[in-house]
RNA sequence: AGCGGGGUAGGGUAGUCAGGAGAUCCCGUCGGGCUCAUAACCCGAAGAUCGAUGGUUCGAAUCCAUCCCCCGCUACCA
């Protein structure tokens, strides 16, 4: 029986900036998934490519004084190389600016027009009379029609966060020259998304993959589906058929890039791409980040359905990445760049391991250098690396080759069990479960080694010792095969150390059970995982910290403070337990305030004009508790009373607990 | 508000869809052992009223109901 054609894709990286570990949260598990499938005898086509269109790229290119094409070619090359460095190997890494994609996008758009799913409509759009251009998306600033906050053309980024359709924004200003834009009527094209509601409900019910993708999309489809404006006034992009002045919206041609990338691969390999995208039994698996569920579970299947293509069978959405428990943020510096990781000498497989083993694929993944170090040293080095090294070194020193002996039933069944768990983890799209299962086998290996005491046996009964070592080597072999999808390069090294023939990347999973041949020569093993030292981690933490501080400085220039900054203020309720005028001063009163701490605090307040010390006694007041201590009139003050106007004290409106934090 | 996702030992994290003995694994703590191995390894112990309350059940972390808290959707995004 022939295996059904299966294409696996990854969300396309936007060719407008460098790769960060957030990207990898999707790409590494996808690569791992494909590698395991291949070990199980399947042969999916794995494609991806650069997303190259849209206004942010045009805007960015202008600010860099280069053409959009130059910009995207630069990043396209960069992403292609970066993925290879990380062992994420696509069968084809295309570009949405390729001829393949221009052609395919136009063909699909034409198909949608022919089938009556696209209609023209006159809408009022911002037009800059000075620049003489219509202003799409981020070319225009203005006011949100829903909440009144400042907004960009395509979304209310500072207010309610709504997506804005072209023409919705009020008081538009041209982003290029800053002059006031006017509204002009123009014809644009809309995709009848509303016509696909019933189809989408049924489609989503049958969609495989992670529940976060399906549930989230179902929520949207059950609500109101609006028709979707699919054209923009730009030069850069895929021309809308029959209109030289319009390009299709970037979210039209981006997913079509999956098809185009498959076509590019098929053309090179002499294969038929239509089997993969139009065939009746075609299987399509998308790996995406949970931020683009809407596009992949709603727009995309509707487009495919409308144009007569095969539909996605599986959509796997990964959770987001946090850095040190903080929401991932480039502008706040909460980001770790892939180049920074690699340039500091870390092996890519360590990061692959971290991403695969941290948590369930759909949950938020926290990255911290500290945890990175722990995982490397305690799991990779101490458990896996140590087991492989002690086994191979012992074998090399005492036998020089793989010794004779029978593989114990317990060892075979443990490996068998692990293979079963690996298969199950792939069926559930849970790389962590895969790693946990295989690491349990490594643990078993250490335990086995320890309990059989080969270092004693070697003196008494060399033959029995050889058998133990052979069993241990069999476990190492299984580990190498089973972990290749997670750490392809490190496991290749281990494979070589075992003296195994053949390419580990092509060795099927069943080979893990095949008894290793006795007698083949062993060379001196090398250490597989080096210790990650404290200084190294401190250095990386410093890099991160400095970036965050640099970003905070630029934020401080604005009058607004962030919530994080506000949170730093320790404002608490307290009670005055002592109060007396400060001798020699007109306005100062020295008070002792109970803030629910061990002892009351001394605070100086300049309120003698409005209050007498007696009035203050026993009063409940509000205090900024973590103000830097200062000497006033020679007396230390550790905090500040909150008062308004000339010094009218703020007091709690109702009874509060002393020491309660103000929020 | 709505929708989506969470709340499990000191920290992190599995198990929840398909309900069953002592609730997983990693770090940390404590005690022992080993010495082949990168101060690595092994064995054991302490530590969790599984967010709260109520219900279903012989049996609930798991199913049902209600409630509380955190996060995302909602800058830059995979």
């Amino acid at each position: 029986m022939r295996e059904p054609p299966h294409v696996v894709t990854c969300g396309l990286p936007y060719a407008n900036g460098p790769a960060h570990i957030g990207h990898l949260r999707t790409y590494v598990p996808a690569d791992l998934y494909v590698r395991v499938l291949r070990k199980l005898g399947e042969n999916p086509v794995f494609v991806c490519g650069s997303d190259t269109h849209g206004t942010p790229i045009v805007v960015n290119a202008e600010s860099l004084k280069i053409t959009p094409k130059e910009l995207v070619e630069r990043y396209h090359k960069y992403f292609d190389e970066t993925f290879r460095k990380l062992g994420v190997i696509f069968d084809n890494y295309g570009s949405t600016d390729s001829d393949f994609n221009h052609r395919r996008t136009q063909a699909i758009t034409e198909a949608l027009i022919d089938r009556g799913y696209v209609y023209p409509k006159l809408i009022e759009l911002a037009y800059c009379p000075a620049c003489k251009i219509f202003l799409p998306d981020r070319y225009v600033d203005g006011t949100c029609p829903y909440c009144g906050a400042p907004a960009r053309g395509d979304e209310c980024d500072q207010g309610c966060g709504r997506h804005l359709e072209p023409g919705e924004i009020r008081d538009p200003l041209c982003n290029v020259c800053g002059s006031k834009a006017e509204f002009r009527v123009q014809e644009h094209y809309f995709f009848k998304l509303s016509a696909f509601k019933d189809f989408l409900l049924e489609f989503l019910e049958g969609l495989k993959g992670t529940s976060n993708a399906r549930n989230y999309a179902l929520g949207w489809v059950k609500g109101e589906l609006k028709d979707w404006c699919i054209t923009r006034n730009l030069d850069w992009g895929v021309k809308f058929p029959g209109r030289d002045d319009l390009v299709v919206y970037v979210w039209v041609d981006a997913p079509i890039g999956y098809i185009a990338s498959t076509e590019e691969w098929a053309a090179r390999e002499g294969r038929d791409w239509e089997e993969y995208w139009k065939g009746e039994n075609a299987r399509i698996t998308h790996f995406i980040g949970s931020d683009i569920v809407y596009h992949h579970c709603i727009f995309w299947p509707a487009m495919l359905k409308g144009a007569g293509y095969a539909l996605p069978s599986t959509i796997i959405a990964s959770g987001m990445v946090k850095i040190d428990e903080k929401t991932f943020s480039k502008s706040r510096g909460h980001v770790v760049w892939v180049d920074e990781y690699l340039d500091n000498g870390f092996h890519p497989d360590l990061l692959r391991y971290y991403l695969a083993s941290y948590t369930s694929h759909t949950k938020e993944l926290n990255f911290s250098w500290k945890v990175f170090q722990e995982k490397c040293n305690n799991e990779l080095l101490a458990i896996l690396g140590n087991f492989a090294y002690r086994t191979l070194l012992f074998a090399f020193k005492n036998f020089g080759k793989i010794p004779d002996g029978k593989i114990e039933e317990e060892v075979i069944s443990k490996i068998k069990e692990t293979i079963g768990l690996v298969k199950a983890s792939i069926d559930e799209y849970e790389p962590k479960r895969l790693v946990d299962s295989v690491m349990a086998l490594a643990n078993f290996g250490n335990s086995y080694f320890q309990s059989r005491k080969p270092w004693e046996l070697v003196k008494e009964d060399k033959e029995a010792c050889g058998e133990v070592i052979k069993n241990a080597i069999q476990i190492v072999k299984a580990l190498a095969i089973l972990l290749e999808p997670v750490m392809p390069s490190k496991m290749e090294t281990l494979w070589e150390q075992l003296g195994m023939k053949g390419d580990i990347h092509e060795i099927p999973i069943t080979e893990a059970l095949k008894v290793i041949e006795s007698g083949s020569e062993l060379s001196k093993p090398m250490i597989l995982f080096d210790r990650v030292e404290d200084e190294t981690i401190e250095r990386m933490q410093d890099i991160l910290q400095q970036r965050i501080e640099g970003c905070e400085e630029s934020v401080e220039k604005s009058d607004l403070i962030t919530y994080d900054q506000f949170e730093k203020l320790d404002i608490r309720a307290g009670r005055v337990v002592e109060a007396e005028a400060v001798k020699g001063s007109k306005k100062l009163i020295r008070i002792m305030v109970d803030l629910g701490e061990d002892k009351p605090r001394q605070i100086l307040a300049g309120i003698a004009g409005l209050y007498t010390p007696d009035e203050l006694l026993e009063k409940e007041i509000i205090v900024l508790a973590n103000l830097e201590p200062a000497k006033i009139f020679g007396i230390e003050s550790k905090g500040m009373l909150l008062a308004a106007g000339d010094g009218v004290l703020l007091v709690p409106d109702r009874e509060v607990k002393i020491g309660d934090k103000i929020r």
Side-chain angles (χ1 to χ4, degrees):
Chain A
M1 193 184 75
R2 244 186 103 200
E3 166 199 350
H6 185 190
V7 59
V8 178
T9 77
C10 269
L12 310 182
Y14 200 42
N16 192 31
H20 48 70
I21 62 172
H23 285 106
L24 301 182
R25 172 107 218 242
T26 301
Y27 301 111
V28 166
D31 178 74
L32 187 156
Y33 179 76
V34 168
R35 285 175 186 270
V36 175
L37 287 188
R38 287 181 178 154
K39 287 222 164 315
L40 292 170
E42 296 181 34
N43 192 24
V45 177
F46 188 31
V47 297
C48 188
S50 301
D51 180 12
T52 60
H53 296 141
T55 33
I57 280 177
V58 179
V59 172
N60 193 13
E62 272 175 16
S63 71
L64 293 171
K65 301 202 169 22
I66 56 176
T67 65
K69 200 170 185 68
E70 284 168 333
L71 178 72
V72 302
E73 278 176 359
R74 182 186 298 177
Y75 279 114
H76 174 69
K77 188 161 170 278
Y78 162 82
F79 271 109
D80 191 14
E81 285 168 1
T82 302
F83 287 138
R84 284 174 208 278
K85 282 184 198 164
L86 286 154
V88 176
I89 310 295
F90 297 109
D91 290 308
N92 192 65
Y93 187 73
S95 160
T96 58
D97 200 39
S98 69
D99 291 341
F100 285 102
N101 196 49
H102 278 267
R103 275 203 301 272
R104 185 54 42 206
T105 300
Q106 289 194 324
I108 286 179
T109 312
E110 275 164 10
L112 293 175
I113 295 169
D114 289 348
R115 291 164 182 234
Y117 292 119
V118 173
Y119 61 92
K121 187 178 162 188
L122 293 176
I123 53 173
E124 288 199 327
L125 276 185
Y127 176 86
C128 175
C131 304
K132 296 192 169 57
I133 52 168
F134 280 95
L135 304 170
D137 305 325
R138 297 185 189 189
Y139 267 115
V140 55
D141 292 327
T143 308
C144 173
Y146 299 100
C147 71
R152 312 194 290 231
D154 55 348
E155 69 183 335
C156 172
D157 55 339
Q158 292 175 45
C160 61
R162 270 192 185 79
H163 166 80
L164 301 182
E165 280 288 313
E168 281 196 304
I169 196 159
R170 292 201 192 137
D171 313 323
L173 290 177
C174 172
N175 202 315
V176 182
C177 68
S179 61
K180 198 171 169 188
E182 54 191 52
F183 283 110
R184 288 200 185 174
V185 172
Q186 215 208 9
E187 189 177 52
H188 271 273
Y189 292 85
F190 284 74
F191 175 60
K192 272 190 199 166
L193 188 61
S194 53
F196 289 88
K197 183 163 181 164
D198 290 340
F199 156 74
L200 283 170
L201 285 173
E202 198 189 324
F203 165 77
L204 289 170
E205 290 297 343
L207 180 67
K208 288 182 284 188
T210 53
S211 58
N212 56 343
R214 191 173 44 246
N215 293 346
Y216 190 58
L218 270 173
W220 282 101
V221 175
K222 283 175 183 166
E224 191 195 359
L225 282 182
K226 277 190 180 171
D227 287 349
W228 179 37
C229 181
I230 56 164
T231 47
R232 292 291 188 274
N233 300 95
L234 275 180
D235 285 333
W236 178 243
V238 178
K239 296 286 180 217
F240 185 79
R243 286 288 296 265
D244 266 357
D245 57 334
L246 294 177
V247 297
V248 300
Y249 182 48
V250 59
W251 269 110
V252 174
D253 71 271
I256 293 173
Y258 298 140
I259 304 179
S261 193
T262 313
E263 288 185 68
E264 198 173 358
W265 165 82
R268 192 172 60 233
E269 300 287 323
R271 302 289 292 271
D272 177 13
W273 69 271
E274 295 203 16
E275 282 183 18
Y276 292 85
W277 287 96
K278 288 187 166 177
E280 268 183 29
N281 58 348
R283 230 176 111 193
I284 299 166
T285 301
H286 294 304
F287 277 82
I288 60 172
S290 58
D291 54 330
I292 50 176
V293 164
Y294 194 96
H295 308 88
H296 282 77
C297 292
I298 297 179
F299 288 156
W300 178 230
M303 274 166 58
L304 288 169
K305 175 74 178 172
Y309 285 67
L311 299 170
S313 21
T314 309
I315 297 182
I316 298 150
S318 56
M320 295 288 108
V321 169
K322 290 172 135 189
I323 305 290
D324 282 335
E325 295 297 341
K326 298 276 170 34
T327 301
F328 196 90
S329 162
K330 291 179 203 168
S331 59
R332 284 191 194 145
H334 298 140
V335 57
V336 174
W337 303 105
V338 172
D339 283 344
E340 158 185 277
Y341 174 90
L342 293 173
D343 291 347
N344 276 282
F346 295 108
H347 194 285
D349 281 357
L350 306 181
L351 185 55
R352 288 179 63 109
Y353 177 83
Y354 188 111
L355 295 171
S357 68
Y358 185 81
T359 189
S360 165
H361 187 64
T362 56
K363 289 194 185 173
E364 278 187 347
L365 182 153
N366 183 44
F367 181 87
S368 94
W369 286 108
K370 192 87 196 127
V371 176
F372 176 79
Q373 182 191 28
E374 278 176 9
K375 278 189 162 288
C376 289
N377 291 348
N378 298 124
E379 296 172 26
L380 290 178
L381 188 155
I383 297 174
L384 177 67
N386 179 51
F387 173 61
Y389 186 64
R390 74 198 289 204
T391 298
L392 291 175
L393 187 65
F394 193 96
F396 171 74
K397 277 189 187 163
N398 294 288
F399 299 92
K401 57 182 185 174
I402 294 176
D404 274 328
K406 263 183 68 185
I407 303 300
E408 294 181 35
E409 195 47 49
E410 191 192 359
V411 171
I412 286 292
S413 71
K414 187 72 192 174
I415 295 174
K416 231 180 232 171
E417 180 194 328
T418 309
I419 293 176
L421 291 170
V422 165
K423 284 183 185 164
S425 72
I426 283 305
D427 290 340
E428 291 167 13
Y429 322 108
E430 285 294 8
K432 178 184 168 59
R433 205 165 304 175
L434 183 151
V435 174
D436 282 354
S437 315
V438 184
M439 290 304 280
L441 179 62
N443 259 320
F444 170 82
N446 271 320
S447 195
Y448 175 85
F449 199 105
Q450 195 79 19
S451 64
R452 302 303 152 108
K453 300 190 199 306
W455 60 90
E456 282 179 12
L457 227 41
V458 73
K459 294 171 205 156
E460 304 150 10
D461 184 347
K462 191 141 185 192
E463 202 176 309
C465 173
E467 186 154 298
V468 167
I469 291 305
K470 178 155 182 176
N471 274 274
I473 292 176
Q474 182 71 33
I475 298 172
V476 175
K477 179 188 173 189
L479 289 171
I481 294 170
L482 294 172
L483 283 175
E484 183 274 339
V486 183
M487 296 178 283
S489 147
K490 286 287 185 186
M491 291 306 110
E492 189 178 341
T493 307
L494 184 57
W495 195 244
E496 283 160 12
Q497 289 186 9
L498 280 164
M500 298 297 299
K501 295 186 199 80
D503 182 354
I504 189 170
H505 310 301
E506 284 164 16
I507 296 287
I509 205 163
T510 47
E511 182 80 13
L513 281 166
K514 208 167 136 195
V515 174
I516 195 161
E517 257 181 66
S518 300
S520 67
E521 296 287 321
L522 288 169
S523 48
K524 187 165 194 281
M526 301 294 287
I527 281 177
L528 207 51
F529 298 101
D530 293 315
R531 176 167 301 280
V532 177
E533 302 294 344
D534 290 348
E535 303 87 75
T536 313
I537 290 304
E538 279 163 25
R539 195 178 74 232
M540 297 315 290
Q541 274 173 334
D542 280 350
I543 292 175
L544 180 59
Q545 194 54 40
Q546 274 170 23
R547 177 163 51 238
I548 293 169
E549 282 166 14
C551 291
E552 276 171 3
E553 271 170 30
S554 57
V555 169
E556 275 164 15
K557 286 176 189 160
S558 123
D559 288 341
L560 298 172
I561 65 164
T562 64
Y563 184 77
D564 282 351
Q565 287 170 323
F566 167 74
E567 241 191 353
K568 284 186 189 160
L569 299 178
D570 181 8
I571 306 177
R572 288 194 252 166
R575 180 184 291 115
V576 179
V577 292
E578 250 183 77
E580 63 166 24
V582 174
K583 276 184 191 166
S585 105
K586 284 179 192 161
K587 287 176 74 180
L588 289 177
I589 297 180
R590 184 188 70 88
I591 56 176
M592 298 297 282
V593 187
D594 179 4
L595 287 175
E597 296 168 321
D598 297 347
K599 45 186 183 183
R601 282 203 199 201
Q602 173 168 285
I603 294 177
L604 289 194
I607 51 173
L610 288 170
Y611 298 87
T612 65
D614 285 351
E615 274 179 283
L616 291 175
L617 263 185
E618 294 304 315
K619 220 175 181 50
E620 286 180 352
I621 55 167
I622 307 297
V623 174
L624 175 61
N626 62 342
L627 184 69
E628 209 177 8
K631 272 194 175 175
I632 304 173
F633 235 75
I635 304 169
E636 190 175 39
S637 177
K638 293 164 88 174
M640 180 173 174
L641 300 195
L642 297 194
D646 296 332
V648 178
L649 283 179
L650 302 186
V651 296
D653 183 38
R654 301 194 189 164
E655 194 173 327
V656 293
K657 226 175 91 198
I658 296 307
D660 268 358
K661 210 175 161 181
I662 305 318
R663 322 189 282 147

